[in-house]
Amino acid sequence: MKKLKFILSGGGTGGHIYPAIAIANELKSRFPDAEFLFVGAQDKMEMQKVPQSGYAIEGLWIAGLQRKLTLQNAMFPLKLVNSLWKSRKIIKKFKPDVVIGTGGFASGPLLQVANSLNIPTVIQEQNSYPGITNKLLSKKANAICVAYENLERFFPKDKIVFTGNPVRQDLLDVENKRQEGIEYFKLNPNKKTLLVIGGSLGARRINQLIEKELDFFKSNDIQVFWQCGKFYHEEYKKYEELPTSNFQLPTHVVSFIDRMDLIYAAADFVISRAGASSVSELCLVGKPTIFIPSPNVAEDHQTKNAKAIVDKNGALLIKESELDEKFESVFNKLIHDENLQKSLSENMKKLAKPNATKDIVEQIVKLIK
């Protein structure tokens, strides 16, 4: 059999990058001799994260349109033409069997060129409300792997495959890693742990909330593991407390979490944004969760992502605008009601799609000529 070649493109945020890496890892386990190339936006986080995962990456000079008139917008046509030209060059040289896009700026020009050259393409849409790039690409894609139902109004119905979102495979057995997680992150084993995740870049409003509520957590004997994001670490690292005695509540403040499997294993409660990847991961680990969706995303898709879980009694939701009035009462009920914790956890796990990555790869394999 000839050596297979795959190009994957997805970036801008961890929500686009990690699904692409998960798909590549699964393809690699099936086809150990295959060659892989990632394509990203040249100044975005994928340029660091992908090489750290062991894959080569090429960068395109591309960025999204801003909502107001800016120099960036004036440059967009030039960037697009440049990215289409470079994508054609990359594809002609690498000669992929299939091109896979997981969203983000760079996947647009790359998959557009792949479609024009009749190379099979697969789109993986993480959200309950698709971005403009995937909507445009869907018309010529061979398969569209989705994580939410009822996306026929955005995509051609006959191409949709309901797979769920790819998640890190090391999350499949977090129940057996609790002790390892407590030791790795130097947590106090005698206290309940709240994990706060605002996304890889951080979430200003969640950070403000946690800062304000630190004494409230302390009064409830809860230790906080707070991923504030790289944009905010300088501002909040002053709250990093390491225990000097048994009476001090440790507050851990980090910009990025290198072992999500271990922190999920150690956590008792989670406060999180509702990005698609986070929602999918939390369904898998099933920890009692309060979602605080970002209102600053297209079509409020994070609220839709969260509601898909909340409507099935798998999590709690507080809107940003209601945090001041509702947070303490909602959190208080969660930490003191063990029946609520148990039912949220069980209902959330029912919504997990642990085989999503394998199911997506099945769709890719079907297209290999």
Side-chain angles (χ1 to χ4, degrees):
M1 189 178 174
K2 65 164 186 163
K3 185 185 277 193
L4 296 171
K5 294 184 174 187
F6 301 99
I7 294 184
L8 299 98
S9 181
T13 67
H16 294 311
I17 298 164
Y18 295 118
I21 292 170
I23 292 168
N25 289 343
E26 177 64 23
L27 281 165
K28 195 173 187 178
S29 73
R30 294 204 196 185
F31 307 107
D33 296 333
E35 285 185 45
F36 295 87
L37 178 65
F38 278 68
V39 175
Q42 65 186 21
D43 55 349
K44 296 292 182 180
M45 63 188 285
E46 56 264 32
M47 301 310 289
Q48 283 80 47
K49 301 299 177 195
V50 169
Q52 284 168 9
S53 298
Y55 295 103
I57 187 166
E58 296 253 12
L60 302 180
W61 185 43
I62 188 73
L65 284 164
Q66 310 298 308
R67 291 185 182 181
K68 51 188 185 294
L69 196 62
T70 62
L71 180 61
Q72 281 272 59
N73 279 356
M75 297 287 283
F76 181 77
L78 182 60
K79 289 183 177 183
L80 181 60
V81 170
N82 181 279
S83 295
L84 287 165
W85 172 80
K86 190 169 180 185
S87 294
R88 179 173 289 269
K89 201 172 158 189
I90 289 168
I91 288 174
K92 289 273 194 184
K93 184 180 176 188
F94 191 76
K95 298 185 172 64
D97 292 280
V98 185
V99 175
I100 302 117
T102 60
F105 309 133
S107 64
L110 185 83
L111 270 77
Q112 182 72 31
V113 170
N115 286 333
S116 72
L117 295 172
N118 293 319
I119 294 165
T121 59
V122 174
I123 293 172
Q124 196 271 317
E125 173 55 60
Q126 296 100 37
N127 286 297
S128 54
Y129 192 94
I132 189 164
T133 304
N134 278 354
K135 281 193 228 170
L136 292 171
L137 293 170
S138 67
K139 296 173 179 62
K140 291 191 174 176
N142 295 74
I144 304 157
C145 298
V146 302
Y148 291 89
E149 293 168 332
N150 306 314
L151 293 190
E152 294 83 2
R153 65 191 193 278
F154 305 114
F155 297 138
K157 189 176 180 180
D158 58 328
K159 296 180 181 181
I160 294 175
V161 188
F162 182 44
T163 57
N165 277 326
V167 288
R168 302 166 233 241
Q169 294 305 289
D170 57 7
L171 299 182
L172 295 176
D173 61 343
V174 295
E175 285 170 17
N176 302 317
K177 297 179 180 177
R178 184 173 176 85
Q179 190 56 39
E180 188 186 349
I182 287 169
E183 289 170 9
Y184 184 85
F185 289 109
K186 299 181 172 60
L187 298 168
N188 184 335
N190 302 313
K191 292 181 185 291
K192 295 280 189 182
T193 301
L194 167 65
L195 169 62
V196 181
I197 38 180
S200 47
L201 303 178
R204 179 186 296 280
R205 187 64 186 90
I206 289 180
N207 287 337
Q208 290 169 341
L209 171 79
I210 301 306
E211 180 180 40
K212 174 173 164 266
E213 301 292 354
L214 282 174
D215 286 340
F216 169 68
F217 298 134
K218 193 171 288 196
S219 69
N220 281 286
D221 205 27
I222 300 270
Q223 64 189 327
V224 181
F225 195 95
W226 177 8
Q227 184 253 321
C228 62
K230 71 172 188 177
F231 287 167
Y232 301 100
H233 193 239
E234 281 300 311
E235 187 177 348
Y236 294 107
K237 68 181 182 184
K238 63 189 177 194
Y239 294 109
E240 172 84 14
E241 289 180 63
L242 294 174
T244 54
S245 73
N246 290 335
F247 304 106
Q248 185 184 7
L249 170 80
T251 301
H252 300 259
V253 185
V254 299
S255 61
F256 181 78
I257 302 171
D258 60 341
R259 288 293 303 271
M260 284 306 297
D261 59 326
L262 294 184
I263 196 60
Y264 279 137
D268 296 284
F269 312 104
V270 180
I271 290 172
S272 176
R273 280 299 198 207
S277 290
S278 297
V279 172
S280 298
E281 289 184 357
L282 285 163
C283 285
L284 209 57
V285 298
K287 298 292 169 123
T289 298
I290 297 174
F291 285 120
I292 304 173
S294 170
N296 311 312
V297 292
E299 304 296 332
D300 198 20
H301 71 245
Q302 284 205 5
T303 299
K304 296 181 176 79
N305 292 348
K307 278 185 67 60
I309 311 303
V310 173
D311 291 347
K312 294 185 175 163
N313 301 314
L316 305 174
L317 187 155
I318 311 176
K319 292 181 180 176
E320 272 198 3
S321 58
E322 298 173 342
L323 281 173
D324 289 337
E325 59 192 273
K326 287 189 175 178
F327 177 75
E328 288 192 7
S329 62
V330 171
F331 190 76
N332 241 330
K333 180 166 173 56
L334 177 66
I335 61 174
H336 293 115
D337 186 339
E338 288 189 9
N339 289 330
L340 175 63
Q341 293 166 25
K342 192 166 181 283
S343 69
L344 289 176
S345 186
E346 287 172 357
N347 291 333
M348 202 179 207
K349 282 184 175 176
K350 286 176 192 166
L351 301 172
K353 291 244 172 234
N355 297 319
T357 315
K358 289 183 171 67
D359 293 343
I360 292 163
V361 165
E362 284 298 327
Q363 296 303 314
I364 295 166
V365 171
K366 283 180 188 176
L367 299 174
I368 297 170
K369 293 170 181 172

